[in-house]
Amino acid sequence: MTVFTRSLEGGGAERVAYLLANEFARSGVGVDLVLQFATGPYLDAVDPSVRILEIGRRLRWSVPWLIRYLRTYRPKAVLGLLTENNVAILLGALLSSYKGRIVVSERNSLRQRRYIPPWIVRPVVRYLYPRADRVVALTNEMADELVALGLHRSKVTVIPNPVSVEHVLAQGGQALDHAFFNAGVPVLVAVGRLVAQKDYPTMLQAAFLLSLDLDFRLLVLGEGEERLRLQQLTDQLGLQGVVDFPGFKSPPWPWMARSDLLVLSSTFEGWGNVVAEALALGLRVVSTDCPTGPREILDDGRFGTLVPVRDPRALADGIISTLAAPKEPERLRRRAREWETERVANMYLELLGVVEC
């Protein structure tokens, strides 16, 4: 079978791609991991039994390559990840007369993704996605979005992202050294690309409000186009020595395991992998109640604190109240075990109709 995505750079969809490919292979399924570009820090994490194939060109030129691939290898089933890749694989299947099973997976809120205009999204969902055997949504809210855009509900299956709790815990035990962990004050951690979606300005404004009453430190793990702007805002708010941007860390779990609380300030998410991984580590969470993942992961606030989007005061208050609450690491880990990688991979294999290579 085939798993098709963009690359193995440090995003959530890319991580899910290699986790699923590895788990499929461990189940005895022959797997091709087809990438537009074979780049990224997750390449070394791919199981040696998984064959990596690189298209080596931009998405618009990928369809001819996919047509040749499907005609040549005729995989039993194909799993697509990310909207743009889903479009390419569905077009490739149509033009190659591919007869195998196709499952495509949406990874983010389609209503919130400003870089894909609505006049493109609606026709894709209404006319192209029905050609897939099944469309996977990460949350019930995302499934409702797909239906509202014109896809029949019978085509949609909700499958959350996988979390390997024991692996996260083991990796979280790795040694690391940073001055913030020796300061004797609470350490907050945020993990994610430095992009507008993550709304780090709201987090920094909340950090400023916190700094008026609390001695703490904030680590922001990630890279992206917003780095310079965020560092400038940090300086303007007088948060030098309180906030640090150590860059992209793979895995981020040792940093999270040594922190007191995870903060997510996003305006939208697909699933919110880092929230689930925080629960796996027994780490308390304060998250914006953004579409579409955090509310479902945290079960309406039973396993973490939810606050309004773009509200620095509410975010600061949520952090203060959560730090004051008792720690319940085992309870949080039990929640995370609901999304163990093997269980999630088996859900995909059932949809794909693949039980053996």
Side-chain angles (χ1 to χ4, degrees):
M1 67 159 292
T2 300
V3 177
F4 175 46
T5 193
R6 180 172 48 207
S7 68
L8 291 182
E9 298 294 344
E14 291 86 347
R15 182 173 172 277
V16 168
Y18 90 77
L19 281 176
L20 289 177
N22 287 355
E23 192 62 39
F24 294 160
R26 280 192 283 271
S27 299
V29 177
V31 183
D32 282 351
L33 181 57
V34 175
L35 306 170
Q36 278 179 259
F37 299 100
T39 58
Y42 294 143
L43 274 174
D44 292 340
V46 177
D47 191 286
S49 65
V50 174
R51 182 171 67 162
I52 298 175
L53 299 175
E54 181 183 35
I55 297 176
R57 61 194 71 185
R58 293 184 180 276
L59 196 62
R60 71 182 67 179
W61 306 114
S62 296
V63 174
W65 190 100
L66 290 167
I67 292 171
R68 290 193 297 273
Y69 169 81
L70 292 172
R71 285 176 174 168
T72 301
Y73 294 102
R74 287 182 273 185
K76 183 175 181 179
V78 176
L79 171 63
L81 301 167
L82 297 170
T83 308
E84 301 88 336
N85 299 88
N86 296 342
V87 169
I89 198 65
L90 287 168
L91 288 174
L94 177 64
L95 296 174
S96 66
S97 300
Y98 173 69
K99 302 301 182 185
R101 194 163 175 84
I102 300 177
V103 172
V104 298
S105 177
E106 270 304 326
R107 317 304 303 169
N108 238 323
S109 169
L110 285 169
R111 291 189 181 279
Q112 302 293 328
R113 295 175 69 182
R114 306 301 184 200
Y115 63 90
I116 305 180
W119 60 269
I120 292 179
V121 168
R122 190 172 292 275
V124 164
V125 172
R126 182 169 290 180
Y127 301 113
L128 194 57
Y129 272 18
R131 295 185 176 275
D133 292 280
R134 199 63 60 92
V135 178
V136 172
L138 300 180
T139 67
N140 289 294
E141 187 177 355
M142 192 184 297
D144 292 341
E145 286 185 358
L146 289 165
V147 172
L149 288 166
L151 191 63
H152 197 278
R153 188 61 180 82
S154 64
K155 278 281 185 179
V156 185
T157 298
V158 176
I159 302 179
N161 275 345
V163 180
S164 178
V165 175
E166 298 310 319
H167 180 65
V168 170
L169 284 170
Q171 294 286 307
Q174 292 179 2
L176 65 85
D177 185 33
H178 191 284
F180 280 12
F181 296 121
N182 301 317
V185 299
V187 177
L188 316 180
V189 64
V191 182
R193 293 169 299 131
L194 307 184
V195 295
Q197 172 193 347
K198 304 300 181 179
D199 193 18
Y200 287 118
T202 289
M203 185 182 297
L204 292 175
Q205 290 160 14
F208 169 74
L209 295 173
L210 274 175
S211 69
L212 302 178
D213 301 306
L214 179 70
D215 192 8
F216 71 97
R217 300 293 183 268
L218 170 61
L219 292 162
V220 182
L221 310 182
E223 287 293 350
E225 69 238 18
E226 296 268 304
R227 171 178 273 277
L228 180 59
R229 177 189 173 211
L230 295 172
Q231 289 177 324
Q232 290 172 341
L233 180 57
T234 299
D235 294 340
Q236 291 166 12
L237 293 170
L239 294 172
Q240 305 95 324
V242 175
V243 179
D244 189 30
F245 297 86
F248 175 78
K249 301 296 177 183
S250 179
W253 308 318
W255 298 76
M256 295 166 64
R258 284 158 179 77
S259 300
D260 295 280
L261 188 145
L262 175 88
V263 185
L264 185 85
S265 55
S266 298
T267 56
F268 69 95
E269 288 285 340
W271 169 242
N273 291 334
V274 70
V275 176
E277 290 163 0
L279 298 185
L281 288 164
L283 180 63
R284 293 170 292 181
V285 175
V286 176
S287 171
T288 50
D289 189 12
C290 66
T292 61
R295 175 167 286 276
E296 293 192 30
I297 295 173
L298 299 176
D299 193 16
D300 297 329
R302 289 184 60 236
F303 295 95
T305 302
L306 293 164
V307 300
V309 173
R310 291 197 175 99
D311 189 333
R313 181 73 266 172
L315 186 58
D317 289 345
I319 291 169
I320 290 172
S321 63
T322 303
L323 285 173
K327 295 181 179 181
E328 299 180 289
E330 286 306 318
R331 178 172 173 269
L332 300 183
R333 290 188 189 109
R334 285 196 298 272
R335 173 64 170 170
R337 287 191 172 94
E338 296 179 24
W339 314 303
E340 279 285 3
T341 303
E342 182 178 359
R343 179 169 180 253
V344 172
N346 286 338
M347 294 169 74
Y348 273 101
L349 289 175
E350 183 177 351
L351 279 189
L352 290 159
V354 178
V355 291
E356 61 181 6
C357 54

